[in-house]
Amino acid sequence: DAGVTQSPTHLIKTRGQHVTLRCSPISGHKSVSWYQQVLGQGPQFIFQYYEKEERGRGNFPDRFSARQFPNYSSELNVNALLLGDSALYLCASSSDPTSGNTIYFGEGSWLTVV
Amino acid sequence: AQTVTQSQPEMSVQEAETVTLSCTYDTSENNYYLFWYKQPPSRQMILVIRQEAYKQQNATENRFSVNFQKAAKSFSLKISDSQLGDTAMYFCAFMTDSGGGADGLTFGKGTHLIIQP
């Protein structure tokens, strides 16, 4: 069975540009979350979506947005990129967002902003 | 807000030895979940073990076990008979039960574990 898949795996963008990262959850999973992991740090929670609705949001500026589609896949969008947005962006899925349900992570999308 | 602290940036042990990774957390919640995740060089986060705060019994998964001390807000991971494949970053993570998990996981900064041959 396919795990959580993310695309692209690596990308380089210029300051001020916009980026879209994509995620497909494990088949049957309806909840998707996004995390940002800066080098040398633990991941930080950005968003959680369930049944196409945003259910939770971390402490990130409005330049960060996301959405979930009817097939439960998700996109993370970042506008007006800053150098500090360079990070590994992790997508995670679970069957539903009930606390304590096992959360499975993808391999991430490496974003470099130059 | 919850915080997770991992006080050991790096640890190194010989293969087959036992190693314990430390984690403390701060929360005012009574019901919550604790996790240890492993992140190898491939960068994919892999769940190692989970613990429900309302369970007094410490979780175990094969060579991995935890020492959960709720009053002390401590959640350490013990790896027995360590193997070369255990070399990775290990992250301790917390999730509150209130809000149905909508606040996501709160991670510590990680411990880089190196298993020497």
Side-chain angles (χ1 to χ4, degrees):
Chain A
D1 287 345
V4 179
T5 58
Q6 294 186 242
S7 63
T9 54
H10 295 81
L11 70 165
I12 300 174
K13 290 286 188 177
T14 304
R15 276 178 299 174
Q17 283 188 320
H18 162 272
V19 68
T20 297
L21 307 178
R22 295 177 175 83
C23 172
S24 293
I26 292 172
S27 178
H29 284 192
K30 298 181 179 180
S31 178
V32 170
S33 300
W34 288 94
Y35 291 79
Q36 180 196 64
Q37 186 177 17
V38 173
L39 201 61
Q41 301 290 322
Q44 278 199 294
F45 172 67
I46 309 175
F47 286 110
Q48 185 196 74
Y49 275 77
Y50 177 63
E51 293 283 12
K52 295 161 286 185
E53 297 286 331
E54 180 184 309
R55 294 190 72 251
R57 183 185 183 118
N59 188 24
F60 280 81
D62 292 343
R63 300 184 297 108
F64 289 76
S65 64
R67 55 180 176 168
Q68 187 176 33
F69 299 100
N71 66 353
Y72 303 111
S73 67
S74 178
E75 283 182 354
L76 175 69
N77 295 283
V78 187
N79 292 323
L81 285 167
L82 304 174
L83 295 179
D85 295 331
S86 295
L88 178 69
Y89 288 85
L90 295 165
C91 177
S93 79
S94 61
S95 55
D96 64 62
T98 305
S99 301
N101 266 345
T102 299
I103 297 172
Y104 298 89
F105 284 84
E107 294 190 0
S109 293
W110 275 108
L111 171 64
T112 302
V113 182
V114 297
Chain B
Q2 289 77 25
T3 59
V4 176
T5 302
Q6 294 180 249
S7 58
Q8 305 149 312
E10 185 170 289
M11 296 187 71
S12 180
V13 298
Q14 296 295 123
E15 192 176 8
E17 288 184 344
T18 294
V19 60
T20 299
L21 309 183
S22 301
C23 172
T24 58
Y25 58 93
D26 188 25
T27 183
S28 58
E29 303 280 341
N30 190 49
N31 295 320
Y32 48 87
Y33 299 84
L34 294 162
F35 307 84
W36 278 98
Y37 278 89
K38 169 185 177 181
Q39 189 176 42
S42 68
R43 305 298 286 182
Q44 183 168 15
M45 301 286 279
I46 301 165
L47 179 66
V48 175
I49 200 165
R50 66 192 289 271
Q51 174 82 41
E52 294 93 340
Y54 61 86
K55 288 188 178 179
Q56 292 186 343
Q57 186 173 5
N58 289 323
T60 62
E61 286 287 341
N62 301 313
R63 298 183 295 108
F64 300 87
S65 62
V66 298
N67 183 5
F68 173 49
Q69 302 289 329
K70 190 173 183 179
K73 296 180 182 176
S74 171
F75 183 61
S76 61
L77 174 70
K78 185 172 84 170
I79 305 174
S80 303
D81 186 27
S82 57
Q83 301 173 358
L84 296 178
D86 295 334
T87 293
M89 286 292 294
Y90 285 81
F91 290 96
C92 179
F94 171 102
M95 178 182 283
T96 180
D97 193 35
S98 62
D103 295 333
L105 290 161
T106 299
F107 285 87
K109 291 187 175 183
T111 295
H112 185 206
L113 176 64
I114 301 168
I115 309 300
Q116 304 276 9

